[in-house]
Amino acid sequence: MKFSISRDVLIKPLNLVAGVVERRQTLPILSNVLLSLDAGQLSLTGTDLEVELVGRVAVDGDSVDGEVTVPARKLVDICKSLPDGSNIEFRVDAGKAMVKAGRSRFTLSTLPASEFPSVEEGGADLTLELPQSVMKRLIERTAFAMAQQDVRYYLNGMLLELKAGRLRMVATDGHRLALCTAAESVSAGDASIIVPRKGVLELSRLLDADETLRLVIGSNHIRAANQQFTFTSKLVDGKFPEYERVLPKSADKTVIGDRLELRQAFTRTAILSNEKYRGVRLKLSTDTLDITANNPEQEQAEEVVAVQYEGEELEVGFNVSYLLDVLSVLDGDSIRLSLSDSASSALLEEAEEGDSLYVVMPMRL
């Protein structure tokens, strides 16, 4: 195997693929990246057996087809350390990979490509195409609410739901819920799958252009592909909670406020909230929201924010981090907060027509 390539061309797909590769692996070959050259196209593959990513780049000039695996992190570090515009010559000789650039020479260990594992795919049940920007928005609006290492393993990921031409993503950790529905309708059948947390975060990292993304959904995997990459992830085998039952139906108290003003007020009060529980108290009266926080050191913060509210006085406690997470992903000028009483969940959304809904459970303070 032999090829020559510009360092600047190689580094982007190499960085993407190396992101999937874990530093500490039980199988040595999982620390490697698979390089495969065929008819002038170089494919780079990384996997951790849950998620697999293949990056592709064209190779010009004389080359010899072949495939080999080399240590991913070392190859990335070599490429990063070379000057911009360097030309890299790569060849495999006597079981070693030789990397040459200018006056620099590197010899890397290799492992046989035949030993490199691939994520089992199974059959494709459903295929759809959509702009990458739509998928990225769905993920960015909901990913923060995914659980991390929860014993309810089906919460450590995100629900992707296709229903009657509508594409929706939902995430929850049991304390809050985020839901975003694509504005565009998609022509495909119905499906309901849970994409694992790592798969969601890796896919979000890949989506940076407005090209078309091709999604293939199978019984135990999801694949996303465009010209530059093919991403495959196993699915979480479990049943996602019936999220529509969580959406507050009887919220009769509505608060409308300026998003940036509220975000700044919550950020300031959070400074003196209890570091462990992060609780803040919201006190609503006519056209006024009073936000207070205190901590075990007897310190207190208070903010008074002008809002649109008519109704009886209400006091309710929330985890301020959850409120700030929502206010950070919304982008409307004003937000609507719907409540019923101090023991019920709050519904947050953009005051104008939006594509996202957020539910936050209250706290006892």
Side-chain angles (χ1 to χ4, degrees), residues 21-303:
V21 179
E22 300 284 357
R23 284 179 183 268
R24 293 184 182 87
Q25 291 286 6
T26 48
L27 288 172
I29 199 157
L30 292 179
S31 301
N32 282 15
V33 59
L34 171 65
L35 302 178
S36 180
L37 183 63
D38 183 25
Q41 186 175 63
L42 179 66
S43 299
L44 304 95
T45 308
T47 183
D48 66 354
L49 298 181
E50 292 291 321
V51 172
E52 178 186 271
L53 180 59
V54 183
R56 285 181 290 274
V57 64
V59 171
D60 297 325
D62 292 337
S63 61
V64 178
D65 291 356
E67 52 183 11
V68 71
T69 81
V70 295
R73 188 51 50 194
K74 289 173 184 171
L75 186 58
V76 169
D77 290 345
I78 288 168
C79 289
K80 279 183 178 174
S81 66
L82 292 171
D84 291 353
S86 300
N87 192 60
I88 296 171
E89 293 177 28
F90 184 98
R91 65 187 172 86
V92 179
D93 191 9
K96 296 285 185 184
M98 313 291 181
V99 180
K100 182 176 154 190
R103 295 183 178 179
S104 305
R105 306 277 187 283
F106 306 91
T107 305
L108 292 172
S109 63
T110 67
L111 287 169
S114 58
E115 292 179 15
F116 195 80
S118 63
V119 175
E120 291 174 29
E121 290 164 9
D125 299 341
L126 215 149
T127 303
L128 65 144
E129 292 189 347
L130 70 163
Q132 283 184 206
S133 56
V134 171
M135 194 69 176
K136 191 166 181 72
R137 180 180 175 84
L138 290 172
I139 293 174
E140 285 179 344
R141 287 250 163 162
T142 52
F144 68 86
M146 289 187 293
Q148 293 188 56
Q149 298 177 326
D150 197 296
V151 290
R152 297 163 294 180
Y153 60 93
Y154 47 82
L155 298 184
N156 301 320
M158 186 182 289
L159 176 72
L160 187 153
E161 185 182 71
L162 274 164
K163 204 170 180 181
R166 179 203 72 199
L167 176 60
R168 174 177 283 177
M169 282 191 147
V170 188
T172 180
D173 61 7
H175 303 287
R176 59 209 171 146
L177 180 140
L179 177 157
C180 185
T181 308
E184 296 87 346
S185 60
V186 288
S187 52
D190 291 358
S192 179
I193 59 169
I194 305 173
V195 185
R197 181 184 176 83
K198 180 171 182 179
V200 172
L201 298 179
E202 286 298 333
L203 182 55
S204 176
R205 213 165 55 92
L206 295 171
L207 304 171
D208 64 351
D210 205 20
E211 297 174 29
T212 299
L213 186 73
R214 187 166 182 265
L215 275 186
V216 179
I217 297 169
S219 55
N220 58 5
H221 80 284
I222 181 170
R223 183 186 298 122
N226 67 9
Q227 297 270 303
Q228 284 77 43
F229 67 80
T230 299
F231 164 89
T232 309
S233 171
K234 287 186 175 177
L235 301 177
V236 177
D237 183 16
K239 184 165 170 43
F240 202 79
E242 291 182 34
Y243 65 89
E244 289 184 337
R245 291 171 60 183
V246 179
L247 302 176
K249 302 288 192 293
S250 57
D252 54 355
K253 297 175 179 65
T254 303
V255 184
I256 294 178
D258 182 274
R259 182 179 66 86
L260 286 176
E261 196 179 342
L262 284 168
R263 184 177 164 187
Q264 289 163 359
F266 282 129
T267 301
R268 289 191 291 267
T269 46
I271 295 167
L272 296 184
S273 66
N274 184 311
E275 286 183 18
K276 186 175 180 184
Y277 300 109
R278 306 282 289 161
V280 293
R281 190 185 304 276
L282 276 55
K283 186 177 179 182
L284 277 166
S285 52
T286 303
D287 289 342
T288 304
L289 173 62
D290 196 335
I291 309 164
T292 56
N294 48 48
N295 60 31
E297 286 80 48
Q298 307 297 311
E299 297 166 330
Q300 183 168 326
E302 182 176 4
E303 291 275 343

